């Protein structure tokens, strides 16, 4: 119906622009939906981290489950902000010069934790990488606050 109105009123000058805007409208979320999915994803990440901590005390596979769930929880918590600002903007901001080292360290320890569990089979190393992952995530989140506030986290 809108297309018929535009044709009749002479408003259909550039159909490609209309198609592009329709595509963008179809792939964007409302602010309320973004906030809801942010909360769901972040809460899921926190729940995974807490579940991983609880599973740490299982006799045989406790350390492995802890490392996996803790890492998945951190990935979900980081991914949750994609709903607020969009994935491309988040990646762009993550790799800004002020956050680059913190981002690399955080991603490195996420990967090393999973490698220690699945490929190397070293439980002690997985625990060490989880501790380093926690420290890297703290530094990463401190850098995420703002460039000048994040510098305060790394310095005394």
């Amino acid at each position: 119906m809108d297309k018929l109105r535009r044709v009749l009123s002479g408003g259909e000058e550039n159909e490609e622009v209309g198609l592009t805007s329709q595509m963008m409208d179809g792939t964007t979320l409302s602010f309320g939906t973004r906030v809801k999915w942010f909360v769901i994803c972040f809460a899921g990440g926190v729940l995974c981290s807490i579940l991983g901590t609880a599973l740490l005390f299982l006799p045989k596979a406790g350390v492995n489950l802890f490392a996996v769930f803790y890492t998945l929880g951190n990935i979900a918590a980081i991914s949750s902000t994609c709903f607020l600002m969009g994935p491309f903007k988040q990646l762009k901001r993550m790799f800004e010069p002020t956050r680059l080292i913190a981002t690399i360290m955080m991603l490195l320890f996420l990967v090393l934790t999973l490698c220690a569990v699945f490929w190397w089979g070293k439980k002690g190393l997985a625990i060490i990488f989880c501790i380093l992952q926690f420290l890297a995530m703290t530094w990463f989140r401190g850098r995420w606050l703002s460039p000048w506030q994040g510098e305060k986290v790394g310095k005394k």
Side-chain angles (χ1 to χ4, degrees), residues 77-138:
I78 292 169
S79 300
S80 66
T81 55
C82 285
F83 289 104
L84 294 180
M85 67 178 70
F88 296 115
K89 187 174 181 182
Q90 179 178 354
L91 286 174
K92 186 178 176 184
R93 288 189 66 197
M94 281 174 65
F95 289 99
E96 287 177 350
T98 57
R99 298 181 183 98
L100 183 63
I101 296 173
T103 300
I104 291 172
M105 295 298 289
M106 184 243 345
L107 293 174
L108 177 70
F109 289 126
L110 288 173
V111 171
L112 287 175
T113 301
L114 295 176
C115 287
V117 169
F118 291 119
W119 287 280
W120 304 327
K122 306 284 186 183
K123 293 180 180 182
L125 197 56
I127 293 289
I128 290 170
F129 285 142
C130 281
I131 292 169
L132 291 173
Q133 190 181 128
F134 172 78
L135 294 173
M137 289 294 288
T138 303

Side-chain angles (χ1 to χ4, degrees), residues 29-43 80-85:
L29 300 172
S30 69
F31 181 73
T33 304
R34 288 177 182 268
V35 171
K36 286 176 191 173
W37 280 104
F38 164 76
V39 170
I40 290 169
C41 197
F42 188 79
S80 66
T81 55
C82 285
F83 289 104
L84 294 180
M85 67 178 70

